[in-house]
Amino acid sequence: MALLELHSVSVAYGRIQALRDISLTVEEGEIVTLIGANGAGKTTTMKAISGLVPLSQGSIEFDGADISKVRADLRVVRGICQAPEGRGVFPGMTVRENLEMGCYTRRDRKAIAEDFDRVFELFPRLKERATQAGGTLSGGEQQMVAIGRALMARPRLLLLDEPSMGLAPQFIQQIFNIITEINKQGTTVLLVEQNAQQALSRAHRGYVLETGSVTRASTGKDLLADPAVKEAYLGVA
Amino acid sequence: MTSHLALTLAQSGSQWIDFNVGLLAERFWANTVDGLAYGSIYALVALGYTLVYGVLRLINFAHSEVFVVGAFGAYFTFVGLGYKPGPTLASGLGPLIANLVLAGAVAMIAAGLIALLLERVAYRPLRRRNAPRLVFLITAIGASFAIQQGFYLWRGANPEPAIRLVRPEAVFDIAGTRITNIQIVVFVASVVLLIVADRFVGQTRLGRGIRAVAQDPDTAALMGVNKERVIMLTFVIGGALAGAAALFYVMMIPQGVLYNGGFLLGIKAFTAAVLGGIGNLRGALLGGLLLGVVENYGQTLFGGEWRDVVAFVLLIGILMVRPTGILGESLGRARV
């Protein structure tokens, strides 16, 4: 049984069909990546998993239970947490308060303190900036807050939507190293990326989304070697 | 020389309106103290506008009627405790405080519940249907009229006979200014409540939830915040503070309990919220106190009929210079 299973999921915004009959699985312990062009439905898939958009068809199973009708905030309690596209850092909260939002549903103070240490170890920069307002951080720092905040929920499944977007090249490398590290520490990761090269080389498996449908699914390595993927997403003819 | 200048100013001014600088100088401290007491009531009510605006981007125009419910709640508690209109009876300090606290609790609970009811009956169904923002605004105005007219049908057009629990007495003098017991109690209690509210929103987990929904509702949901519960909470807090404000109002103006008694006060409190920066808790406090004091100065300077004019001119003046209010829009902390 996979940790996350999407069964023929469709999502529509009004008359516009954003996702068409998408099925995918994420096994415990994996990094799975979704790649695709702008508007292919990557972010909508993430929103559907987190419960921000309702499904028009299909179902989502998490840890063996159907969560299609579960409210977004309760999916966090079940162990799904997302660092959303555009980072979603609360601009008027300090870095520490932002991280505290990640453990909003948790009461286990001791474990929360441990997770603060863990996040500050992964992102020493955030410790230096703990009392700074989220809105005053650089893009890279905001991405650290977004990922660190999601980790503070101690999720079983971490959803990362475009973590490398808008970052300087040296930051991109660093963010991907950290994602790999988080996965090694035992968190399952579903990663949406436009940086297909990095994403596929780090992921165990990958899915290619095109105009709302899954067109390819394989291991990261195979997709990297796939000529069609190379041409469309890796900028190699 | 200076007194001569003041005199000419007053004389030349008097051709158009009374421009009484001398009287203002004489009553300056009395006006300030009285303005702070009124202003703290504005601030408490303003907080309700600002909290709801912060979370829903909605001006809850029915908030003035939430205040009226609180005023009637306090009044009927007085009646239930056996107080009668007419001269204030001497009573022990202990029972008096207990009775005021009870009336305050009733007012806060009644106002908090009506605010919650309003959100569930009027606004929530609209949110579920993704209604446009204008529909919310019109619904708010409609709810305001409905509650107001409900009170009119029930209690008629006349104010309830005034019940005075506390006789205003000068507690001490500062530079010839008498400060009454009621002014002190109202100001101190209001400021305490405002600080508690500010701490709650700024430093508790639920308060962080409120700020999260105000700053980014979708991401708040991704962090496990139940948006509907946060909305209910903000209405209840705003309502309860309006209820407390209503008790203070009834203490200061015992003849003010009537069906539309919240109208002007609601507008003033809304003005205070915008003045300080709507959505900003400390802005509501600052705006309320400033409005209370300045309109008192204006009243002394130009005469009683100019009181409201001064209040709204102040609003327009500040918005011309700072369109987002004195402290800017935000919930809890400056938005960057």
Side-chain angles (χ1 to χ4, degrees):
Chain A
M1 184 186 67
L3 183 61
L4 178 77
E5 293 180 27
L6 271 64
H7 302 292
S8 310
V9 166
S10 297
V11 170
Y13 297 115
R15 283 193 190 164
I16 301 160
Q17 189 84 8
L19 295 184
R20 221 176 302 242
D21 205 21
I22 287 205
S23 295
L24 61 85
T25 60
V26 179
E27 301 284 343
E28 189 118 43
E30 277 187 316
I31 299 181
V32 173
T33 185
L34 282 178
I35 60 169
N38 271 335
K42 304 184 300 277
T43 293
T44 304
T45 308
M46 296 299 242
K47 284 186 172 172
I49 297 169
S50 279
L52 291 184
V53 295
L55 311 184
S56 53
Q57 253 160 28
S59 66
I60 299 176
E61 243 175 80
F62 181 73
D63 200 20
D66 186 347
I67 58 162
S68 313
K69 296 260 156 33
V70 175
R71 276 201 328 254
D73 55 294
L74 295 177
R75 294 190 198 193
V76 179
V77 180
R78 288 183 183 234
I80 301 176
C81 200
Q82 185 182 158
E85 185 186 24
R87 301 157 198 142
V89 169
F90 298 110
M93 292 190 197
T94 64
V95 167
R96 177 170 279 276
E97 285 177 319
N98 264 286
L99 295 177
E100 274 169 351
M101 283 310 300
C103 46
Y104 190 81
T105 60
R106 294 173 59 189
R107 306 274 177 168
D108 44 342
R109 291 201 175 177
K110 242 188 175 171
I112 289 174
E114 284 170 26
D115 285 351
F116 260 110
D117 292 341
R118 178 186 171 210
V119 168
F120 284 143
E121 211 170 287
L122 279 170
F123 304 104
R125 190 66 162 265
L126 295 187
K127 195 169 192 175
E128 296 163 25
R129 306 264 152 138
T131 58
Q132 200 173 319
T136 64
L137 300 175
S138 74
E141 289 164 343
Q142 288 195 355
Q143 192 59 61
M144 294 178 192
V145 171
I147 297 176
R149 187 178 59 184
L151 284 177
M152 289 303 295
R154 205 174 260 203
R156 295 185 60 195
L157 174 64
L158 175 65
L159 305 177
L160 300 174
D161 194 348
E162 301 268 11
S164 77
M165 188 168 64
L167 298 190
Q170 71 267 26
F171 265 134
I172 293 181
Q173 197 62 36
Q174 198 187 340
I175 287 281
F176 278 105
N177 286 343
I178 286 168
I179 293 168
T180 310
E181 174 62 29
I182 290 167
N183 177 251
K184 278 190 184 139
Q185 289 177 9
T187 307
T188 309
V189 178
L190 179 57
L191 172 68
V192 156
E193 258 305 329
Q194 288 207 326
N195 190 332
Q197 174 72 45
Q198 279 283 354
L200 289 173
S201 60
R202 306 280 180 155
H204 300 97
R205 291 187 302 114
Y207 292 86
V208 179
L209 270 181
E210 275 168 25
T211 57
S213 304
V214 173
T215 53
R216 277 186 161 69
S218 189
T219 63
K221 241 180 223 162
D222 286 354
L223 286 174
L224 268 178
D226 186 318
V229 172
K230 267 188 178 169
E231 193 185 333
Y233 303 107
L234 301 174
V236 190
Chain B
M1 185 65 207
T2 35
S3 69
H4 178 70
L5 182 71
L7 196 68
T8 2
L9 256 177
Q11 276 173 350
S12 64
S14 68
Q15 293 166 2
W16 182 45
I17 43 169
D18 281 330
F19 194 112
N20 206 332
V21 180
L23 192 62
L24 178 62
E26 191 182 307
R27 292 191 187 163
F28 183 78
W29 289 109
N31 278 180
T32 307
V33 171
D34 196 45
L36 287 176
Y38 272 101
S40 57
I41 294 178
Y42 294 155
L44 279 174
V45 180
L47 222 57
Y49 284 105
T50 250
L51 276 169
V52 168
Y53 178 84
V55 169
L56 287 181
R57 299 290 182 272
L58 161 74
I59 304 296
N60 178 16
F61 278 114
H63 191 57
S64 49
E65 275 52 54
V66 170
F67 168 85
V68 170
V69 168
F72 274 96
Y75 184 82
F76 285 125
T77 312
F78 294 167
V79 173
L81 287 168
Y83 288 95
K84 301 241 174 340
T88 313
L89 302 171
S91 64
L93 191 62
L96 180 64
I97 291 173
N99 289 344
L100 284 175
V101 168
L102 179 68
V106 170
M108 287 173 83
I109 292 170
L113 283 179
I114 198 77
L116 182 63
L117 189 73
L118 195 66
E119 143 38 40
R120 301 296 281 203
V121 173
Y123 303 136
R124 194 173 193 226
L126 297 178
R127 274 204 308 283
R128 291 229 155 150
R129 288 171 178 77
N130 281 323
R133 200 161 288 181
L134 189 62
V135 174
F136 281 89
L137 207 62
I138 291 165
T139 302
I141 294 169
S144 169
F145 277 122
I147 299 173
Q148 203 178 95
Q149 293 305 311
F151 273 109
Y152 176 78
L153 289 175
W154 180 35
R155 305 303 300 175
N158 294 322
E160 305 295 321
I163 296 180
R164 286 170 208 274
L165 262 69
V166 190
R167 194 180 308 140
E169 278 167 22
V171 180
F172 50 81
D173 275 47
I174 297 177
T177 302
R178 294 165 66 244
I179 299 176
T180 70
N181 47 359
I182 294 182
Q183 285 170 334
I184 293 174
V185 168
V186 167
F187 181 72
V188 171
S190 300
V191 169
V192 167
L193 281 172
L194 289 163
I195 290 172
V196 169
D198 185 67
R199 283 275 168 93
F200 177 79
V201 173
Q203 289 171 16
T204 66
R205 176 179 160 273
L206 283 173
R208 267 199 301 282
I210 292 176
R211 283 189 293 150
V213 172
Q215 293 176 17
D216 188 341
D218 274 357
T219 305
L222 291 180
M223 299 300 121
V225 180
N226 182 342
K227 188 182 166 194
E228 290 300 318
R229 196 176 295 167
V230 161
I231 291 169
M232 278 159 45
L233 185 67
T234 51
F235 272 90
V236 169
I237 294 173
L241 291 174
L247 171 73
F248 302 148
Y249 179 79
V250 172
M251 285 168 68
M252 288 186 45
I253 311 174
Q255 69 278 14
V257 185
L258 78 161
Y259 78 105
N260 65 356
F263 177 68
L264 194 58
L265 188 128
I267 292 181
K268 290 281 180 64
F270 172 60
T271 304
V274 175
L275 199 59
I278 187 110
N280 188 321
L281 263 66
R282 290 176 190 173
L285 170 65
L286 187 67
L289 295 181
L290 187 67
L291 190 70
V293 171
V294 169
E295 71 173 12
N296 256 359
Y297 295 157
Q299 181 174 4
T300 306
L301 207 53
F302 306 116
E305 66 275 23
W306 289 86
R307 183 187 176 98
D308 300 335
V309 178
V310 169
F312 297 121
V313 167
L314 173 71
L315 174 72
I316 294 167
I318 297 238
L319 290 186
M320 278 167 70
V321 188
R322 280 189 67 91
T324 54
I326 299 170
L327 297 186
E329 293 181 25
S330 85
L331 201 59
R333 196 181 271 268
R335 212 180 248 260
V336 185

